[in-house]
Amino acid sequence: MNDELAAKAADLAKQAAELARAVAGFADEAAAAAATLPGAVAGGAQTPFITLLTIFALACFVGYYVVWRVTPALHSPLMAVTNAVSSVIIVGALLAAGLKGFGWPQLFGFIAVTLAAVNIFGGFIVTHRMLAMFKKKPAAAKK
């Protein structure tokens, strides 16, 4: 009985080994086919730069159309949200600009800090001006 079970186990092990070799061959063929696809680089993955550039371009289009379709009544809340987003951007830009050494990340971090600062302070100036428009003007001195 034990010899029969051992023979069956050995037969199953041989079949498993043959199956594993066949799967490894299929994986090699799939990797070779993926490497020949256009836009593929070594390893079969797209470059992250193209992906990130695509996301940036799409975000620009979405932001442009969202901002231009906002009614004037919602302008102030939109500015508040924009300032909140800019605060997150400025934290990331400060982290990038504060890296040791000087290179492209630090340069882009500095540019991001500058643009985010312009956006934040410009938002405060515009909000202050809009709030000043709604203040009651003092009555003219009665004679």
Side-chain angles (χ1 to χ4, degrees):
M1 180 83 178
N2 286 338
D3 291 338
E4 187 177 325
L5 283 176
K8 283 184 179 180
D11 190 40
L12 285 175
K14 284 182 184 176
Q15 288 178 357
E18 290 174 11
L19 192 58
R21 279 191 287 265
V23 169
F26 288 137
D28 290 340
E29 289 177 19
T36 61
L37 291 176
V41 295
Q46 266 191 333
T47 59
F49 177 74
I50 298 297
T51 303
L52 294 175
L53 184 65
T54 304
I55 291 170
F56 177 74
L58 291 174
C60 287
F61 282 115
V62 169
Y64 177 79
Y65 284 107
V66 166
V67 168
W68 280 109
R69 294 186 187 264
V70 170
T71 60
L74 295 176
H75 186 264
S76 293
L78 179 66
M79 288 300 297
V81 171
T82 304
N83 283 343
V85 171
S86 291
S87 66
V88 173
I89 291 171
I90 205 163
V91 169
L94 285 171
L95 290 174
L99 295 175
K100 188 175 181 181
F102 187 76
W104 288 106
Q106 290 81 16
L107 178 66
F108 284 122
F110 176 75
I111 292 170
V113 167
T114 304
L115 293 176
V118 167
N119 190 23
I120 290 171
F121 292 117
F124 281 125
I125 291 170
V126 168
T127 302
H128 179 72
R129 185 171 178 184
M130 288 182 68
L131 290 175
M133 291 170 58
F134 292 108
K135 279 186 180 176
K136 288 184 178 182
K137 296 181 180 173
K142 294 185 179 181
K143 295 182 182 179

